[in-house]
Amino acid sequence: YSPGNHYKSFRGTMNLKTALQISANTVSLQLFEQVDKAEFTDRLAHAFARYPDDKVKSLLHTDHSLALGTVDLSAVHVASAYLTLLSQGRKVYPYWGSLITGVGPHESRALPAAARNANIFEVSAAEQVREMLTAVLRPEGTGGEFIGVQGDVIIQELGAKSGSGPVDTWFVGYSQDLLLLVWLGFRQRSDRPRDFHAATLWYDLYLETLPWFRPRPMVYEPGLERRYFCAETGLPPTPGCRRIASALFSRGSRSQN
């Protein structure tokens, strides 16, 4: 197994948020080297589960590709995992039906309250990742590149992540109130268009939701607050700042320049 970055040129030292923003996958793998692999696999299997007794763990890869999400799961599994970010690290099972999964639309699945409220990740960790992924749709992120949006106000309060394999491509994005995932699969590598990504279709679909789900500011755990600063200097943004960045801080703490 050999990982690759979205951009093929060396970009020097970077923080995790920038790595996620531009799909610098080698940085994610360095982080993966520092975690307990068994515990990570257990948490990931729980996050991917579509319902309480969903057997996911046996489908997860055992090599380093696990850090990048290269698993043989459906779009519903992936959406289920991202719902944990919108739920402060708690497991939330999605509503799903026969069109995607083959389960009868009237079949009842009892979801015990204990299962719904189980914590998979620490609240602060889930909130930090949710905020980090808001950078993906900025012009310098992979989502911004695929969609071609330059500074559109619509994307300022959205989080997202892109992914692709030899014969598929997917894109997930979310606001405070809505999560939308698009997956495109092809029979063979030659069928996959070089100049079209699931992010393009995702953006078209997202625009259709705006009459009902106009994005509003992200709401984070009360002990955290989002602050904005100039990416070039780390200081409060001024009219001359070319790129504004953001991060979560403990409420009441002082930022370190």
Side-chain angles (χ1 to χ4, degrees):
Y1 170 73
S2 177
N5 296 328
H6 177 68
Y7 298 105
K8 305 308 178 184
S9 59
F10 179 65
R11 298 205 167 192
T13 302
M14 65 181 69
N15 57 38
L16 182 59
K17 184 174 183 176
T18 300
L20 293 172
Q21 178 186 31
I22 65 174
S23 288
N25 297 321
T26 49
V27 175
S28 296
L29 287 170
Q30 291 176 52
L31 179 61
F32 182 67
E33 282 290 327
Q34 301 178 37
V35 303
D36 183 297
K37 308 300 188 297
E39 181 182 355
F40 179 77
T41 301
D42 288 341
R43 289 174 184 251
L44 205 57
H46 191 182
F48 278 128
R50 300 164 297 175
Y51 46 85
D53 58 344
D54 199 6
K55 307 300 182 183
V56 177
K57 190 173 180 179
S58 62
L59 301 175
L60 302 182
H61 293 196
T62 57
D63 60 21
H64 281 65
S65 68
L66 182 63
L68 306 179
T70 51
V71 293
D72 301 319
L73 301 177
S74 69
V76 182
H77 285 105
V78 177
S80 298
Y82 274 91
L83 282 175
T84 63
L85 296 182
L86 277 67
S87 306
Q88 298 185 338
R90 294 188 301 271
K91 180 58 186 176
V92 175
Y93 294 101
Y95 293 99
W96 48 283
S98 58
L99 179 63
I100 297 176
T101 65
V103 172
H106 302 296
E107 180 176 340
S108 175
R109 287 189 179 276
L111 304 180
R116 246 183 278 197
N117 294 328
N119 277 71
I120 302 176
F121 307 110
E122 293 183 3
V123 174
S124 60
E127 295 286 69
Q128 289 286 355
V129 173
R130 182 159 69 100
E131 197 282 328
M132 287 181 188
L133 295 182
T134 60
V136 172
L137 278 168
R138 298 299 175 91
E140 59 273 16
T142 53
E145 175 191 337
F146 294 139
I147 296 171
V149 177
Q150 298 293 323
D152 194 321
V153 68
I154 291 175
I155 69 173
Q156 298 305 306
E157 291 296 339
L158 301 179
K161 195 70 182 79
S162 61
S164 62
V167 294
D168 68 345
T169 172
W170 60 268
F171 193 85
V172 61
Y174 54 84
S175 65
Q176 181 64 33
D177 306 298
L178 174 72
L179 184 142
L180 176 64
L181 183 144
V182 172
W183 174 82
L184 299 176
F186 305 92
R187 292 183 179 276
Q188 53 189 4
R189 185 189 294 266
S190 60
D191 293 336
R192 178 183 162 190
R194 291 181 175 272
D195 57 349
F196 185 77
H197 192 278
T200 305
L201 178 57
W202 177 91
Y203 189 59
D204 290 340
L205 292 173
Y206 185 78
L207 292 179
E208 293 295 322
T209 73
L210 291 180
W212 301 277
F213 295 103
R214 189 74 184 182
R216 59 191 178 95
M218 289 280 192
V219 177
Y220 297 98
E221 192 273 329
L224 300 171
E225 61 179 335
R226 192 180 189 186
R227 299 177 189 170
Y228 295 87
F229 51 91
C230 184
E232 286 81 12
T233 65
L235 299 174
T238 63
C241 179
R242 294 178 298 174
R243 187 164 62 90
I244 297 176
S246 64
L248 289 185
F249 294 86
S250 296
R251 190 171 296 277
S253 66
R254 299 184 61 183
S255 304
Q256 299 295 322
N257 297 330

